[in-house]
Amino acid sequence: MATAKDDRKKKIMVYLNKNKFASLGELVEFVHYSSATVKRDLIELENEEQIRRTRGGAILIDAEKVDAVYLTKVENYVNDEEKRSIAEKTITYIEDYMTIFIDSSSTALHLIPYLNRFHGLRVVTNSVLTATLLSEHTNVEVTVIGGTVTKKKFTVNSVTAINQLNIYQFDLALLSCRGFDEDKGASEISEGEAILKQCLKECTDKIILMVLQSKKNKVYFYKSLLPDNIYRVIENL
């Protein structure tokens, strides 16, 4: 059941989809709630990577453009304490000589500094960026699944990439998600991302899902993994 907060956030997104930018005052007037309440909604929408907060308002993230703030996060990818904590817990499931799939999430980037402690790892990824950083900072064998790169997102979620997964067998898949619900599982806003993860459940012994607090109790349009598909959920508790 939709809550008042869900309704407010939907209205905010309707306004931003139409206008691309809005001041805090405009949004307060549009949704008829206090500025403090709208600010909290904007923080959540930013954590969900749907908008970017600015001084005095918010802008819609353009899916066709590179998110410069995201690139800044990548350049400093070891500086996020929550993601680093999740990475430290996740690597306890890695053993020497495993074959591992790592997705294109920024959370997964935080695994990279820890991988040199293992021997004989083979990592497959759908992220050009992750593959580049793995190649630069580790000694693991790196494979990028092929196909069309999603414009401006450094990610490969094409039919070719998904079909290629059928020839592999992974010991582990280390994945993030856009939303996670304990009863409904993981979900995405991208159809390609959801289908890729559905494919991974058929060729992976154990799926580890790395979940940020901002992604919990969120359900999006595309189902990716049911609770029974997930071996462990890793959070920063």
Side-chain angles (χ1 to χ4, degrees):
M1 176 181 292
T3 65
K5 179 171 68 174
D6 293 332
D7 289 338
R8 283 196 312 273
K9 289 165 65 177
K10 286 180 182 178
K11 288 181 179 179
I12 290 170
M13 291 305 300
V14 166
Y15 193 94
L16 286 171
N17 274 299
K18 180 180 179 180
N19 298 285
K20 310 306 179 185
F21 169 81
S23 69
L24 180 62
E26 289 171 336
L27 293 173
V28 167
E29 183 177 354
F30 185 68
V31 300
H32 303 295
Y33 277 84
S34 70
S35 60
T37 298
V38 174
K39 282 181 181 179
R40 288 194 293 269
D41 292 338
L42 293 178
I43 290 171
E44 288 195 11
L45 287 168
E46 184 174 50
N47 288 336
E48 295 165 10
E49 299 178 10
Q50 297 191 63
I51 61 106
R52 184 71 59 208
R53 288 186 298 148
T54 64
R55 180 170 295 181
I59 59 173
L60 185 71
I61 291 178
D62 188 341
E64 298 299 317
K65 295 180 180 179
V66 176
D67 185 346
V69 177
Y70 174 74
L71 292 180
T72 301
K73 288 181 180 179
V74 168
E75 292 173 358
N76 302 283
Y77 68 89
V78 295
N79 292 332
D80 188 307
E81 288 296 334
E82 182 182 12
K83 294 176 183 178
R84 183 162 56 190
S85 174
I86 289 174
E88 289 173 350
K89 295 176 183 179
T90 301
I91 62 161
T92 62
Y93 294 93
I94 299 176
E95 298 178 5
D96 292 344
Y97 303 103
M98 277 185 163
T99 298
I100 301 169
F101 184 91
I102 295 179
D103 73 5
S104 59
S105 66
S106 58
T107 303
L109 294 177
H110 288 69
L111 298 166
I112 293 173
Y114 301 100
L115 296 183
N116 269 337
R117 65 180 64 178
F118 300 100
H119 299 287
L121 290 185
R122 179 169 187 167
V123 173
V124 179
T125 183
N126 66 322
S127 169
V128 177
L129 184 59
T130 300
T132 300
L133 291 171
L134 284 166
S135 178
E136 182 177 355
H137 297 291
T138 76
N139 295 316
V140 305
E141 182 179 344
V142 185
T143 299
V144 183
I145 54 176
T148 303
V149 178
T150 302
K151 190 175 182 180
K152 305 295 185 182
K153 296 298 181 183
F154 315 105
T155 302
V156 185
N157 288 328
S158 64
V159 173
T160 302
I162 290 167
N163 287 338
Q164 187 179 342
L165 289 178
N166 293 324
I167 69 172
Y168 297 126
Q169 181 62 43
F170 300 106
D171 298 301
L172 286 178
L174 308 178
L175 311 175
S176 186
C177 60
R178 184 56 62 102
F180 178 73
D181 179 89
E182 288 187 359
D183 296 322
K184 296 180 180 179
S187 57
E188 305 293 336
I189 61 172
S190 161
E191 181 180 18
E193 195 73 32
I195 293 173
L196 181 137
K197 289 171 182 174
Q198 289 173 9
C199 183
L200 280 166
K201 72 185 182 185
E202 304 298 332
C203 58
T204 304
D205 290 343
K206 296 176 180 178
I207 291 177
I208 307 293
L209 190 68
M210 301 174 288
V211 179
L212 300 173
Q213 291 300 307
S214 61
K215 307 299 177 69
K216 290 183 64 178
N217 304 314
K218 304 289 177 59
V219 178
Y220 294 95
F221 187 67
Y222 295 104
K223 295 186 294 185
S224 56
L225 297 168
L226 297 175
D228 289 347
N229 303 141
I230 304 165
Y231 178 71
R232 288 286 186 275
V233 174
I234 308 295
E235 305 175 50
N236 181 32
L237 299 176

